[in-house]
Amino acid sequence: MKVDFDGVQAFVAVAELGGFSRAARELHLTQTALTRRVQKLEAYLGLKLLDRTTRRVALSTVGREFLPQARALVQDMTSAVERLKDMSRLGSGQLALACIPSMSSHVLPGLIRQYAQAHPDNRIRLHDGSSTEVRQAVLDGQADLGIALHGEPHPDLEERRLFSDPLVFLCRTPHPLEQAAEVRWSDLHDTELIGVSSFMATRIFMDYQLAKRGIRLQGRYEVQHHATAINLVAAGVGAAILPSSTFQPGDRPGVRKIPLTHPVVRRQVVLLQRREQALSPAALAFRKLIEQARFKP
């Protein structure tokens, strides 16, 4: 059933204000337009809601019975629309965000803290996974936005570059390279390196650069996540090559973060959104926040 809201609103206004002229002013309509709305509603119902004479307008018997429900309908619709307007104005609601795990070390917590301060009532649902999984979550509608690595273009995905994240060398003192201002890839011969999973983009970048220089990865340990590699470096198990954003000086006592050069290898971190999809107010507020952020990997 198609409810004629304009007609119901017009009927309620006439009933409550006692006439067409006052109701028309209240709704910013001409009297003719208001009259047509009421007549259209009555024609749809097949009932007279108002008794009109040249002197007065009064509710019919049916109109008196219908008025409480009509008033409730108008009030509920008005309240719902106002809530939506407030959501748009305040950026409130629920945010579903997919993100690669490496962003959870420093980048994402800072963003979420700022977001929570600006929108304390919003609910955030995080889905962490590989860059491929993040892209698929956005494509499937499981996430409003995704933070991942630059990948193959997809016709249904909009990709916005956030920052370049260079690979760095991490080691715990004492270590032969701990005093170096920078470490070259060619310096890594005979270095015990903790490897990350071959499914991780970091490993792909690392293996390519090592292979170009004839260096084979030496290490008895392979881990799935960057955070695990950092913990092993801090324990003195070995050194690691990781994205700069995953570690900040002071995170672990005795662990040094040294630029890795010749060449500097960077991964590109991007923000993903399904193309031509209208974001919820909560997601739009987060996108504005992340676009204004200044990233320091």
Side-chain angles (χ1 to χ4, degrees), residues 90-92 115 119 122 279-290:
L90 300 173
S92 61
Y115 184 76
H119 309 281
N122 285 11
L279 292 177
S280 68
L284 186 60
F286 187 84
R287 191 184 74 181
K288 290 180 179 177
L289 173 66
I290 201 170

Side-chain angles (χ1 to χ4, degrees), residues 18-291:
F20 279 82
S21 60
R22 293 176 62 187
R25 287 195 298 271
E26 179 72 17
L27 297 178
H28 306 288
L29 296 170
T30 65
Q31 268 191 251
T32 301
L34 182 68
T35 300
R36 286 175 181 165
R37 289 188 179 186
V38 174
Q39 289 174 340
K40 181 181 177 183
L41 176 63
E42 290 177 327
Y44 174 74
L45 296 173
L47 296 166
K48 278 286 186 181
L49 299 175
L50 299 169
D51 292 328
R52 307 169 184 80
T53 67
T54 55
R55 292 186 176 183
R56 58 190 290 271
V57 175
L59 290 170
S60 68
T61 302
V62 174
R64 284 194 296 272
E65 293 181 3
F66 180 55
L67 181 59
Q69 290 84 5
R71 183 186 290 119
L73 177 63
V74 172
Q75 290 174 345
D76 287 347
M77 179 62 75
T78 302
S79 297
V81 170
E82 288 301 320
R83 283 195 298 271
L84 288 175
K85 289 170 66 177
D86 286 342
M87 286 177 63
S88 177
R89 179 173 56 85
L90 300 173
S92 61
Q94 177 173 302
L95 166 67
L97 176 67
C99 186
I100 51 177
S102 59
M103 292 293 100
S104 64
S105 300
H106 295 281
V107 176
L108 192 58
L111 288 170
I112 290 180
R113 182 171 59 251
Q114 294 179 55
Y115 184 76
Q117 290 171 349
H119 309 281
D121 297 326
N122 285 11
R123 183 167 177 251
I124 303 174
R125 179 166 54 86
L126 292 177
H127 169 81
D128 61 339
S130 68
S131 195
T132 300
E133 291 171 335
V134 169
R135 297 171 75 86
Q136 197 59 50
V138 176
L139 282 170
D140 292 344
Q142 298 175 18
D144 302 305
L145 297 168
I147 301 176
L149 301 183
H150 171 68
E152 288 294 324
H154 191 288
D156 294 330
L157 276 183
E158 178 182 322
E159 191 173 288
R160 303 185 185 200
R161 181 182 175 278
L162 295 179
F163 64 94
S164 294
D165 196 8
L167 297 187
V168 297
F169 180 75
L170 292 186
C171 65
R172 177 182 172 84
T173 58
H175 190 277
L177 297 173
E178 66 176 273
Q179 297 301 324
E182 62 181 44
V183 172
R184 300 187 178 201
W185 290 89
S186 57
D187 296 332
L188 297 178
H189 285 284
D190 302 323
T191 300
E192 184 85 7
L193 288 175
I194 298 164
V196 293
S197 169
S198 57
F199 292 105
M200 300 288 285
T202 303
R203 177 63 176 270
I204 296 171
F205 294 150
M206 181 178 72
D207 283 351
Y208 176 71
Q209 294 299 330
L210 292 174
K212 281 181 64 176
R213 289 154 183 80
I215 304 172
R216 294 184 61 188
L217 177 65
Q218 298 187 48
R220 291 168 290 170
Y221 304 95
E222 180 174 291
V223 299
Q224 296 293 318
H225 302 291
H226 296 122
T228 307
I230 292 172
N231 290 336
L232 292 180
V233 171
V237 172
I241 296 172
L242 296 174
S244 179
S245 65
T246 62
F247 186 86
Q248 295 298 327
D251 283 355
R252 297 286 195 280
V255 175
R256 286 214 57 207
K257 171 180 170 179
I258 306 173
L260 194 54
T261 63
H262 293 79
V264 174
V265 179
R266 303 175 184 271
R267 62 179 196 166
Q268 302 298 322
V269 180
V270 297
L271 179 67
L272 299 174
Q273 176 186 338
R274 189 173 175 84
R275 198 176 298 279
E276 298 180 357
Q277 177 186 5
L279 292 177
S280 68
L284 186 60
F286 187 84
R287 191 184 74 181
K288 290 180 179 177
L289 173 66
I290 201 170
E291 287 175 343

